[in-house]
Short mmCIF file of all heavy atoms in Angstrom, two decimals:
data_model
loop_
_atom_site.label_atom_id
_atom_site.label_comp_id
_atom_site.label_asym_id
_atom_site.label_seq_id
_atom_site.Cartn_x
_atom_site.Cartn_y
_atom_site.Cartn_z
N ILE A 1 0.81 -1.22 0.02
CA ILE A 1 -0.04 0.02 0.01
C ILE A 1 0.82 1.29 -0.02
O ILE A 1 0.60 2.18 -0.76
CB ILE A 1 -0.95 -0.03 1.26
CG1 ILE A 1 -1.99 -1.13 1.00
CG2 ILE A 1 -1.59 1.38 1.42
CD1 ILE A 1 -2.90 -1.44 2.24
N LEU A 2 1.94 1.21 0.82
CA LEU A 2 2.84 2.47 0.85
C LEU A 2 3.52 2.61 -0.53
O LEU A 2 3.80 3.75 -0.90
CB LEU A 2 3.85 2.28 1.97
CG LEU A 2 3.37 2.33 3.39
CD1 LEU A 2 4.38 2.06 4.40
CD2 LEU A 2 2.65 3.65 3.59
N VAL A 3 3.87 1.47 -1.18
CA VAL A 3 4.49 1.64 -2.55
C VAL A 3 3.57 2.22 -3.55
O VAL A 3 4.03 3.05 -4.36
CB VAL A 3 4.97 0.29 -2.97
CG1 VAL A 3 5.29 0.22 -4.43
CG2 VAL A 3 6.24 -0.21 -2.18
N SER A 4 2.30 2.03 -3.41
CA SER A 4 1.36 2.68 -4.31
C SER A 4 1.33 4.19 -4.17
O SER A 4 0.97 4.92 -5.12
CB SER A 4 -0.02 2.05 -4.23
OG SER A 4 -0.61 2.37 -2.97
N PHE A 5 1.63 4.71 -2.94
CA PHE A 5 1.66 6.08 -2.70
C PHE A 5 3.10 6.75 -2.94
O PHE A 5 3.11 7.84 -3.55
CB PHE A 5 1.30 6.50 -1.22
CG PHE A 5 -0.11 6.10 -0.96
CD1 PHE A 5 -0.36 5.18 0.10
CD2 PHE A 5 -1.15 6.79 -1.53
CE1 PHE A 5 -1.76 4.96 0.37
CE2 PHE A 5 -2.46 6.49 -1.27
CZ PHE A 5 -2.77 5.57 -0.28
N ALA A 6 4.13 6.03 -2.75
CA ALA A 6 5.48 6.62 -2.93
C ALA A 6 6.25 5.47 -3.56
O ALA A 6 6.59 4.50 -2.87
CB ALA A 6 6.03 7.01 -1.57
N ASP A 7 6.57 5.62 -4.81
CA ASP A 7 7.33 4.53 -5.55
C ASP A 7 8.69 4.31 -4.97
O ASP A 7 9.27 3.24 -5.22
CB ASP A 7 7.43 4.94 -7.02
CG ASP A 7 7.57 3.81 -7.96
OD1 ASP A 7 7.10 2.67 -7.64
OD2 ASP A 7 8.25 3.93 -8.95
N VAL A 8 9.19 5.28 -4.39
CA VAL A 8 10.58 5.10 -3.68
C VAL A 8 10.64 4.03 -2.75
O VAL A 8 11.69 3.31 -2.53
CB VAL A 8 11.01 6.49 -3.03
CG1 VAL A 8 12.35 6.31 -2.33
CG2 VAL A 8 11.01 7.52 -4.10
N LEU A 9 9.54 3.68 -2.08
CA LEU A 9 9.47 2.65 -1.08
C LEU A 9 9.46 1.17 -1.67
O LEU A 9 9.53 0.27 -0.95
CB LEU A 9 8.24 2.77 -0.19
CG LEU A 9 8.24 4.01 0.68
CD1 LEU A 9 6.92 4.20 1.47
CD2 LEU A 9 9.43 4.10 1.60
N SER A 10 9.46 1.15 -3.06
CA SER A 10 9.54 -0.19 -3.62
C SER A 10 10.88 -0.94 -3.31
O SER A 10 10.84 -2.15 -3.15
CB SER A 10 9.33 -0.04 -5.08
OG SER A 10 10.35 0.64 -5.72
N ILE A 11 11.89 -0.13 -3.09
CA ILE A 11 13.17 -0.74 -2.71
C ILE A 11 13.08 -1.34 -1.36
O ILE A 11 13.56 -2.48 -1.10
CB ILE A 11 14.23 0.29 -2.73
CG1 ILE A 11 14.50 0.72 -4.19
CG2 ILE A 11 15.58 -0.24 -2.14
CD1 ILE A 11 15.50 1.99 -4.28
N LEU A 12 12.36 -0.70 -0.34
CA LEU A 12 12.16 -1.21 0.94
C LEU A 12 11.40 -2.54 0.90
O LEU A 12 11.65 -3.56 1.55
CB LEU A 12 11.45 -0.20 1.76
CG LEU A 12 11.15 -0.63 3.28
CD1 LEU A 12 12.43 -0.95 3.95
CD2 LEU A 12 10.35 0.44 4.00
N ALA A 13 10.26 -2.53 0.01
CA ALA A 13 9.37 -3.73 -0.12
C ALA A 13 10.24 -4.88 -0.74
O ALA A 13 10.09 -6.07 -0.34
CB ALA A 13 8.24 -3.40 -0.96
N LEU A 14 11.06 -4.63 -1.73
CA LEU A 14 11.93 -5.63 -2.30
C LEU A 14 12.88 -6.20 -1.24
O LEU A 14 13.11 -7.38 -1.18
CB LEU A 14 12.65 -5.07 -3.57
CG LEU A 14 13.61 -5.98 -4.15
CD1 LEU A 14 12.93 -7.21 -4.82
CD2 LEU A 14 14.47 -5.24 -5.17
N LEU A 15 13.57 -5.31 -0.47
CA LEU A 15 14.47 -5.84 0.53
C LEU A 15 13.80 -6.69 1.58
O LEU A 15 14.37 -7.62 2.02
CB LEU A 15 15.25 -4.56 1.21
CG LEU A 15 16.17 -3.87 0.32
CD1 LEU A 15 16.69 -2.63 1.05
CD2 LEU A 15 17.25 -4.78 -0.17
N TYR A 16 12.70 -6.24 1.94
CA TYR A 16 11.88 -7.03 2.96
C TYR A 16 11.49 -8.48 2.40
O TYR A 16 11.61 -9.46 3.08
CB TYR A 16 10.51 -6.33 3.38
CG TYR A 16 9.71 -7.14 4.39
CD1 TYR A 16 10.17 -7.08 5.70
CD2 TYR A 16 8.61 -7.85 4.04
CE1 TYR A 16 9.39 -7.85 6.67
CE2 TYR A 16 7.89 -8.53 4.89
CZ TYR A 16 8.36 -8.58 6.23
OH TYR A 16 7.60 -9.38 7.09
N SER A 17 11.07 -8.46 1.14
CA SER A 17 10.80 -9.68 0.52
C SER A 17 12.01 -10.72 0.42
O SER A 17 11.95 -11.87 0.72
CB SER A 17 10.21 -9.49 -0.91
OG SER A 17 9.02 -8.78 -0.89
N LEU A 18 13.10 -10.02 0.02
CA LEU A 18 14.37 -10.91 -0.11
C LEU A 18 14.78 -11.31 1.34
O LEU A 18 15.38 -12.39 1.44
CB LEU A 18 15.50 -10.05 -0.78
CG LEU A 18 15.29 -9.77 -2.28
CD1 LEU A 18 16.31 -8.80 -2.81
CD2 LEU A 18 15.27 -11.08 -3.09
N ALA A 19 14.68 -10.43 2.23
CA ALA A 19 15.19 -10.83 3.62
C ALA A 19 14.28 -11.87 4.30
O ALA A 19 14.79 -12.65 5.06
CB ALA A 19 15.12 -9.59 4.58
N GLY A 20 13.05 -12.07 3.77
CA GLY A 20 12.19 -13.02 4.38
C GLY A 20 12.23 -14.40 3.77
O GLY A 20 11.54 -15.34 4.26
N ILE A 21 13.03 -14.59 2.77
CA ILE A 21 13.14 -15.94 2.02
C ILE A 21 13.62 -16.98 3.07
O ILE A 21 13.09 -18.06 3.21
CB ILE A 21 13.98 -15.82 0.85
CG1 ILE A 21 13.18 -14.96 -0.27
CG2 ILE A 21 14.25 -17.21 0.23
CD1 ILE A 21 14.04 -14.72 -1.51
N ILE A 22 14.78 -16.75 3.63
CA ILE A 22 15.51 -17.69 4.54
C ILE A 22 14.67 -17.90 5.72
O ILE A 22 14.43 -19.10 6.08
CB ILE A 22 16.89 -17.31 4.83
CG1 ILE A 22 17.69 -17.10 3.53
CG2 ILE A 22 17.55 -18.26 5.82
CD1 ILE A 22 18.62 -18.22 3.11
N PRO A 23 14.24 -16.85 6.54
CA PRO A 23 13.40 -17.12 7.57
C PRO A 23 12.12 -17.96 7.30
O PRO A 23 11.64 -18.70 8.16
CB PRO A 23 12.99 -15.79 8.22
CG PRO A 23 14.04 -14.86 7.71
CD PRO A 23 14.52 -15.43 6.34
N GLY A 24 11.47 -17.62 6.21
CA GLY A 24 10.27 -18.37 5.84
C GLY A 24 10.54 -19.77 5.45
O GLY A 24 9.71 -20.69 5.95
N LEU A 25 11.70 -20.03 4.88
CA LEU A 25 12.07 -21.45 4.57
C LEU A 25 12.29 -22.20 5.93
O LEU A 25 11.89 -23.34 6.03
CB LEU A 25 13.28 -21.41 3.57
CG LEU A 25 13.73 -22.77 3.24
CD1 LEU A 25 12.70 -23.52 2.40
CD2 LEU A 25 15.09 -22.60 2.45
N ALA A 26 13.12 -21.55 6.81
CA ALA A 26 13.36 -22.21 8.11
C ALA A 26 12.14 -22.44 8.92
O ALA A 26 11.94 -23.56 9.54
CB ALA A 26 14.39 -21.35 8.87
N LEU A 27 11.15 -21.52 8.82
CA LEU A 27 9.89 -21.68 9.50
C LEU A 27 9.11 -22.85 8.98
O LEU A 27 8.56 -23.69 9.68
CB LEU A 27 9.03 -20.41 9.47
CG LEU A 27 7.78 -20.42 10.14
CD1 LEU A 27 7.95 -20.48 11.73
CD2 LEU A 27 6.94 -19.25 9.76
N SER A 28 9.15 -23.01 7.65
CA SER A 28 8.49 -24.12 6.96
C SER A 28 8.99 -25.47 7.31
O SER A 28 8.34 -26.45 7.51
CB SER A 28 8.47 -23.84 5.40
OG SER A 28 7.70 -22.77 5.10
N ILE A 29 10.31 -25.44 7.34
CA ILE A 29 11.08 -26.72 7.69
C ILE A 29 10.80 -27.12 9.14
O ILE A 29 10.46 -28.32 9.41
CB ILE A 29 12.50 -26.57 7.35
CG1 ILE A 29 12.70 -26.57 5.89
CG2 ILE A 29 13.34 -27.69 8.02
CD1 ILE A 29 14.18 -26.26 5.32
N ARG A 30 10.76 -26.19 10.07
CA ARG A 30 10.54 -26.44 11.47
C ARG A 30 9.12 -26.90 11.59
O ARG A 30 8.69 -27.80 12.44
CB ARG A 30 10.72 -25.25 12.32
CG ARG A 30 12.27 -24.96 12.55
CD ARG A 30 12.49 -23.97 13.60
NE ARG A 30 11.72 -22.78 13.55
CZ ARG A 30 12.05 -21.64 12.99
NH1 ARG A 30 13.21 -21.57 12.34
NH2 ARG A 30 11.29 -20.60 12.95
N ARG A 31 8.15 -26.37 10.81
CA ARG A 31 6.73 -26.85 10.87
C ARG A 31 6.63 -28.30 10.39
O ARG A 31 5.87 -29.05 10.96
CB ARG A 31 5.81 -25.86 9.96
CG ARG A 31 4.46 -26.22 9.91
CD ARG A 31 3.70 -26.10 11.28
NE ARG A 31 2.56 -26.89 11.29
CZ ARG A 31 2.30 -27.91 12.11
NH1 ARG A 31 3.20 -28.16 13.06
NH2 ARG A 31 1.21 -28.62 12.06
N LEU A 32 7.30 -28.65 9.33
CA LEU A 32 7.42 -30.06 8.87
C LEU A 32 8.01 -30.89 9.82
O LEU A 32 7.50 -32.02 10.10
CB LEU A 32 8.08 -30.13 7.54
CG LEU A 32 7.49 -29.48 6.30
CD1 LEU A 32 8.44 -29.40 5.11
CD2 LEU A 32 6.17 -30.31 5.98
N HIS A 33 8.98 -30.50 10.59
CA HIS A 33 9.53 -31.35 11.65
C HIS A 33 8.52 -31.61 12.81
O HIS A 33 8.53 -32.68 13.41
CB HIS A 33 10.72 -30.60 12.27
CG HIS A 33 11.94 -30.62 11.46
ND1 HIS A 33 13.09 -29.86 11.71
CD2 HIS A 33 12.18 -31.23 10.23
CE1 HIS A 33 14.02 -30.08 10.84
NE2 HIS A 33 13.51 -30.87 9.89
N ASP A 34 7.59 -30.62 13.07
CA ASP A 34 6.64 -30.72 14.05
C ASP A 34 5.59 -31.85 13.79
O ASP A 34 5.04 -32.44 14.65
CB ASP A 34 5.86 -29.38 14.31
CG ASP A 34 5.07 -29.35 15.61
OD1 ASP A 34 5.64 -29.74 16.63
OD2 ASP A 34 3.97 -28.98 15.50
N ILE A 35 5.41 -32.12 12.53
CA ILE A 35 4.52 -33.22 12.09
C ILE A 35 5.28 -34.44 11.80
O ILE A 35 4.76 -35.46 11.18
CB ILE A 35 3.52 -32.92 10.99
CG1 ILE A 35 4.28 -32.51 9.74
CG2 ILE A 35 2.62 -31.74 11.41
CD1 ILE A 35 3.44 -32.37 8.55
N ASN A 36 6.57 -34.46 12.20
CA ASN A 36 7.43 -35.62 11.99
C ASN A 36 7.72 -35.97 10.56
O ASN A 36 7.86 -37.13 10.21
CB ASN A 36 6.88 -36.95 12.71
CG ASN A 36 7.91 -37.83 13.20
OD1 ASN A 36 9.11 -37.39 13.26
ND2 ASN A 36 7.53 -39.12 13.51
N LYS A 37 7.84 -34.91 9.74
CA LYS A 37 8.30 -35.11 8.31
C LYS A 37 9.63 -34.43 8.22
O LYS A 37 9.89 -33.49 8.92
CB LYS A 37 7.31 -34.37 7.43
CG LYS A 37 5.83 -34.84 7.50
CD LYS A 37 5.68 -35.94 6.47
CE LYS A 37 4.15 -36.31 6.41
NZ LYS A 37 4.03 -37.79 6.24
#
């Protein structure tokens, strides 16, 4: 929503998306471990 108002913030949104890849993957793997997979 902020990017739609100020295009300059698209860099911040991109950085957040890139920063979230590894934590999201780790979270998914820990969730699979919880169901014994």
Side-chain angles (χ1 to χ4, degrees):
I1 291 170
L2 291 176
V3 164
S4 68
F5 292 118
D7 202 31
V8 175
L9 294 175
S10 62
I11 294 170
L12 180 63
L14 176 66
L15 289 176
Y16 180 77
S17 297
L18 290 174
I21 292 172
I22 302 256
L25 182 63
L27 182 70
S28 297
I29 289 173
R30 288 193 310 269
R31 178 69 200 118
L32 288 168
H33 287 172
D34 194 47
I35 60 169
N36 210 16
K37 299 270 186 218

